[in-house]
Structure formats: C-alpha cells, structure tokens
Amino acid sequence: MASLLFQALGSVGVIWGFIVILVQGIGIYKIFRYYSSVPIEPVSPSLPKDEVPHLTIIRPAKGLEPGLYECLASVFHQSYPKDKLTIYFCVSSKEDAAYPVIQRLLDDYPDFDAKVFVETEDPYLQGDNGHIDNVGPNPKIRNLSRAYREAKGDIIWPLDCNVWIARDVAGRMVDKLCGYRPNGQRAKPYKFVHQLPLVVDTVTSMSSLNAEGQTLLSGSAVTGGSDAQSDVNVPTSIHSRSWAHGGGRLEEMFMATTHAKFYGAINTVGIAPCIVGKSNMFRKSHLNRVTDPAQNPILTGRAATLPKGLDHFSLFMCEDHVIGDLLWRSDLPGYANHGLVWGDLAVQPMAGMSIPAYVARRVRWLRARKWTVLSATLVEHGVESLVCCFYVSFGFTTVPWFHETLGIPQTWAALWYCWLVGVTLWMIVDRVVFKKLHAGQSIYIDEHTPSFARGAGRGGAEKRRFSEWFLAWLGREVLALPIWTWAVFLGTSVDWRGKRFRVRSDMTVVAIDPEDENTDALLHGERGSIDNHISTARGKID
C-alpha cells in the first residue's frame, strides 16, 4: 500500500515538473524573442494630430528613491507628441523628500503640461468641503486621487516614481491599448496594458559616484521608511555588506529569473490576470464604468457601496491587482483583457535593501496574494528550483517505469544525484535568462539613458561576475521555501509603512495596533459618520 502511495506521489511529482518546465519554456521563448532587440517604432505618435489620443501620466512619489530624478525625467523624453501629453506628479506633503526633486523637474521642463499635486492640499480631503476620510487608507490611491479626477483625456498611465522607461514606451503602450498597428492596420484593443519590470541593484555603482549618488542611497529609497535623510553606508566587511545590501541583489535575481519567466508565460497563455503595479495603462471611462454598480452587475454587496473610479480601490492593499482583476472580470465588449507590451522594460534602480527587508517584502506580497489567488499561492513553492527538482527526482527514483526503461536506481543516492543535476541545469538556464534581460538589448539608448538602464552589455554600470551572481541566485533559492512557509502558514499580518496590519480574505487590511481599533470596526461594516466603509488606517503600498 505504501509502495503504491509513493508511486502515485512520484507520478504527480514528475507531471508537475514537466508542467513547470513547459510554462518556463514559454516564458523563456518570449523573453528571447522580444527582448533581444529594440522594438519597432510606435504608430500612435505619428498619427494625424486629431487622432493621437491624449495621455495623462500620473507619477506618485514618496521619499528619495535611487535615481529618482532620472526616473521621473524619463517621461519628459518620450517621443509622444508634447501637446498630447499631461504629466502629474503626486506627493503626500511638501515636506516629502521627493518634492524638491519634482520642483526641479518642473523648472527644467517648463514647456510641458506638467504639475505637482499635494495630498494635504486636496480640497476633496481637506477644508470646509472635504474630509480626510473621503478616500480610504491606501496611501498610493490617496496620492493619485486628485490627479485621476483632474486627468485630461481618457487614457491614464500610473507609473511608479522609481521606474525608468525608454523613449518610445509611451507610444507603444498606447498602441497596445488602442490596437494601433503599422500601415494603418488595427488590432483588438485592450482594457489594460503593462510592462515587464526589471530591478537593477545599484549599490556598487551609486556608492562610488559622488555625494549626490550617496544621498540617493537613503533608507526610504528602498525599504519604504520615512526617514529620507539617513544615508546608507556601504560596509567594508563582506558579511556586513551582504546583510545590509544583499536584499537588493536577491530582488534583482527574483525579478530577472523566476518572476520574469512566469510573468511572460502567464501573460502569453492569458488564463488569468498577472500584473505588477509598476507601469499600468487603462482608460478612465472603463474604470469609472466597472466601479459603478449601476453599470457593472458583478459589483454586489459591500463592493457596491464603495466609491467610483480610482477611489474604489483605496481600501485595498494591492490596488494594482484589484484594478486589473476587476477590469479582467468585467464585461467590456470589443476589448481584450490584458496585454503585456513585449520588448519594453520598466527598469527600477534599487539600492540599500537589506536581506530582512527583502524577506519582509516577499512575505507581504505572498500574504496579500494568498487571498486573491489562493490555489496559485499554495503551489507557488513548487515552481522554485530546489523543491521542483526534488519532486521530479523523487518521481524518477520511485516510479517503476523510469527504473525499468531508463535504468535509474531507486535509491536515495540516485534521488540526490538527479536533484543536483536538475538544480544545476536550472541554474544555468536562469543565468542565461538573467544575462539576456540585463544586457538591455531591447532598450533604446540615447543621451538621456542613465547608466543603470543601459544594460551590462551596452555600457551599463552594473555587471555581475558569475561568482557574485551565483551567491545571489543560491541565496534567493534557499530562502524561497522558508519565506513561502512563513507567509502562507505562519500568520496573516504584515508590516505596512511602520504599522502592523492583518490581511483579510477580501484583501482589505485591519490595523492590529491598539490605537487603530476604530479601523477594525469600520472595516467590519460598522458605520460612523462616513458612509463608504473607509478606514482611517494609514500605510504604504509598494
């Protein structure tokens, strides 16, 4: 009986392994196909003037991020027609460390339709006719709210402040969203389009630049802390340096290997929404429609009581996923669901992330996703190299067919040998994929391209020798299973902008700090002076 059980488990392990390999193969194929050369020039910027859609770019900012000026300035260097472009920056207050950088940008580019919105000056949230709880606790949505309400045109492009984009990205994003193709052809338009994110750890290059570069290595830059004045020192000790800044390398590794492969594959198959809220584009009219219960029958119960438009998502932790999921599930005839803009990378420079900060970030992601895609989260550990290769190796050394046909011994020694071979091959594939994405071959290079976005093979400042790359790869793989176990089974709370919250099954959050007990009451539907179940808890969304 036990033998039959082991054989059944072994068969499941082999089948699972081949599924994972197939999915990864799809993602790898797409990466090599679309990120090996610069994409073709966009169509929309060259359309007749009255046919070019107006585009509003909204960039929420918080603290001094690494390369903040270059990232924010990238929208001013777009090939999209200047008179069809509106750029809104958003900060929580004028005391935010990002505010002087934004003011400098507005001074440097006076010919653009650009301005900065300050949350503390929003009449909808402040003053006689406003109320601070008119928008929920999600700080990113609160930041974006006024810019969304005052957006010009229908197309909205929320773009994180720590993301750099190449010259033609705006045009290609609009092309994908609207279905523009060369030679006057049209494709089916999309409800929602996005980019593949790529993290570049810049501790080595930025710490050796100059005083300005050191200033950007602030604690708030990467860990989400509010102290933008505390510089990050790079320790001389290898152990201390790895602990204090190794999280950036782990995040860089994750985004360029496991995440990139599965992100590309899932967006190719298109069986479910798979997005990261770094660079997303959609229509204001669509979002207003799908958040209106009178126009969208899938909004029932509590969801039907929430505000319309972007403010509808101000109570949720992962607003990017919730927005994409609602658009995906809502009926908008004539529009495809989500489209990944292949070839264009949303490049995020990173510096100063510690290993504990990386672990906390991954736990936060997993605990939020646990309630939105429970089945996928429960099996997610099985797509990592160490676990997946063990499943397959167990099958190879347990199922009789492999012993009888291929002569694989049914011993523990054979199992671990197969596992080691599998992990080694997996590592080689990850090395190839990492080098492909970090080569930057699909990025258009011009005089405005910063060193962190040029790619390792095109003059970029960050290059990874195999020895240091291998240590980062091994560290990430070893941490993957403990992080998953901790996040999924050992709690529901997350550290969110200096406070502790419990993630509920509907992806809203409940403050578990004593002073925020009123938040718990509101989130459970007890009504006070505010009608839309808005919490007073504050936090930060990445």
Side-chain angles (χ1 to χ4, degrees):
M1 186 68 179
S3 177
L4 291 176
L5 177 61
F6 286 145
Q7 290 179 30
L9 292 175
S11 299
V12 171
V14 172
I15 293 171
W16 173 257
F18 280 113
I19 292 174
V20 171
I21 291 171
L22 175 62
V23 172
Q24 289 198 61
I26 295 172
I28 293 168
Y29 167 74
K30 287 289 191 173
I31 288 170
F32 274 80
R33 178 179 178 183
Y34 290 107
Y35 297 93
S36 296
S37 61
V38 178
I40 61 173
E41 292 188 359
V43 174
S44 51
S46 59
L47 291 172
K49 187 175 181 179
D50 59 344
E51 296 180 18
V52 179
H54 196 97
L55 172 61
T56 298
I57 303 176
I58 306 177
R59 307 210 67 172
K62 181 69 175 177
L64 284 176
E65 297 278 355
L68 179 62
Y69 182 91
E70 290 80 7
C71 289
L72 295 179
S74 63
V75 294
F76 293 107
H77 303 146
Q78 294 297 297
S79 60
Y80 208 77
K82 187 188 301 185
D83 60 341
K84 294 290 185 177
L85 197 61
T86 296
I87 303 169
Y88 289 154
F89 300 103
C90 309
V91 293
S92 59
S93 72
K94 289 185 177 179
E95 285 68 44
D96 192 289
Y99 185 75
V101 179
I102 295 173
Q103 289 287 22
R104 176 184 163 195
L105 279 164
L106 298 179
D107 292 339
D108 290 346
Y109 298 94
D111 298 332
F112 282 79
D113 179 15
K115 65 187 301 184
V116 57
F117 288 111
V118 181
E119 181 186 323
T120 54
E121 298 176 357
D122 186 350
Y124 187 60
L125 300 175
Q126 314 290 336
D128 296 336
N129 298 321
H131 195 287
I132 194 171
D133 293 323
N134 280 343
V135 180
N138 183 319
K140 186 173 181 179
I141 298 296
R142 294 179 70 89
N143 230 322
L144 297 171
S145 179
R146 186 177 182 183
Y148 177 87
R149 298 194 305 269
E150 299 187 18
K152 300 177 182 178
D154 193 32
I155 299 179
I156 309 292
W157 187 9
L159 184 64
D160 282 2
C161 68
N162 57 6
V163 166
W164 179 90
I165 54 171
R167 185 191 69 172
D168 295 322
V169 171
R172 282 191 286 268
M173 292 279 282
V174 171
D175 286 356
K176 188 83 170 184
L177 186 76
C178 299
Y180 295 124
R181 300 187 65 181
N183 303 318
Q185 297 179 335
R186 296 295 295 269
K188 190 173 185 179
Y190 284 86
K191 305 174 187 176
F192 182 102
V193 298
H194 53 115
Q195 292 178 263
L196 176 68
L198 184 72
V199 168
V200 180
D201 183 65
T202 61
V203 165
T204 303
S205 60
M206 293 187 71
S207 63
S208 61
L209 284 177
N210 48 39
E212 182 178 2
Q214 284 283 359
T215 300
L216 293 178
L217 294 178
S218 65
S220 66
V222 218
T223 62
S226 59
D227 182 9
Q229 304 304 318
S230 56
D231 295 342
V232 172
N233 296 317
V234 181
T236 56
S237 164
I238 294 178
H239 178 269
S240 299
R241 185 166 64 245
S242 299
W243 184 256
H245 300 290
R249 292 294 175 90
L250 300 180
E251 183 78 0
E252 177 186 79
M253 186 63 61
F254 171 68
M255 298 301 287
T257 54
T258 299
H259 183 271
K261 291 182 293 184
F262 283 94
Y263 199 80
I266 295 172
N267 279 287
T268 298
V269 179
I271 59 174
C274 181
I275 56 175
V276 173
K278 293 293 181 186
S279 172
N280 304 325
M281 185 181 289
F282 47 82
R283 295 171 182 81
K284 184 177 181 179
S285 59
H286 282 178
L287 204 62
N288 290 344
R289 175 177 172 180
V290 301
T291 55
D292 183 356
Q295 300 183 69
N296 192 359
I298 71 172
L299 292 179
T300 58
R302 186 172 175 227
T305 70
L306 297 177
K308 300 179 182 64
L310 190 66
D311 293 348
H312 181 91
F313 308 95
S314 61
L315 198 65
F316 299 93
M317 184 174 181
C318 295
E319 76 294 325
D320 50 347
H321 176 85
V322 181
I323 290 172
D325 181 67
L326 182 59
L327 285 169
W328 179 285
R329 294 184 293 112
S330 300
D331 183 25
L332 295 172
Y335 292 91
N337 281 324
H338 293 180
L340 180 61
V341 181
W342 296 100
D344 285 317
L345 293 166
V347 182
Q348 178 188 351
M350 180 173 286
M353 174 179 274
S354 67
I355 291 178
Y358 165 79
V359 172
R361 180 182 175 89
R362 293 292 301 135
V363 168
R364 186 168 65 247
W365 277 18
L366 284 166
R367 286 183 177 169
R369 291 178 61 248
K370 178 169 63 175
W371 300 118
T372 55
V373 281
L374 178 60
S375 58
T377 304
L378 290 177
V379 301
E380 185 168 316
H381 70 290
V383 305
E384 302 290 356
S385 64
L386 306 187
V387 175
C388 186
C389 289
F390 179 83
Y391 288 166
V392 175
S393 300
F394 180 79
F396 283 172
T397 56
T398 303
V399 177
W401 184 88
F402 293 101
H403 175 65
E404 297 166 359
T405 307
L406 303 178
I408 298 178
Q410 294 183 320
T411 64
W412 283 105
L415 186 153
W416 292 116
Y417 178 79
C418 291
W419 176 83
L420 182 60
V421 170
V423 170
T424 301
L425 292 174
W426 195 302
M427 179 200 65
I428 294 171
V429 171
D430 277 355
R431 173 68 170 170
V432 172
V433 172
F434 182 97
K435 291 187 68 174
K436 169 57 65 176
L437 289 174
H438 279 266
Q441 294 171 336
S442 67
I443 296 175
Y444 180 88
I445 304 294
D446 60 17
E447 68 275 13
H448 302 298
T449 307
S451 61
F452 63 76
R454 290 179 175 268
R458 308 175 70 189
E462 298 295 333
K463 297 177 175 62
R464 302 287 178 253
R465 297 187 304 272
F466 177 76
S467 58
E468 60 178 307
W469 179 92
F470 173 73
L471 289 176
W473 182 88
L474 183 62
R476 200 210 72 81
E477 298 298 322
V478 169
L479 285 173
L481 182 59
I483 288 174
W484 176 85
T485 304
W486 182 21
V488 175
F489 297 114
L490 302 180
T492 59
S493 64
V494 296
D495 291 323
W496 196 28
R497 195 55 174 170
K499 291 188 177 183
R500 200 156 187 78
F501 295 84
R502 186 177 73 252
V503 183
R504 301 181 68 222
S505 58
D506 60 358
M507 284 197 67
T508 57
V509 289
V510 180
I512 56 179
D513 296 320
E515 62 271 23
D516 290 322
E517 288 179 351
N518 60 318
T519 300
D520 188 83
L522 284 171
L523 288 173
H524 279 85
E526 296 179 19
R527 304 181 67 90
S529 60
I530 309 303
D531 289 332
N532 288 327
H533 306 273
I534 301 300
S535 163
T536 58
R538 297 300 305 273
K540 182 179 187 300
I541 294 287
D542 286 336

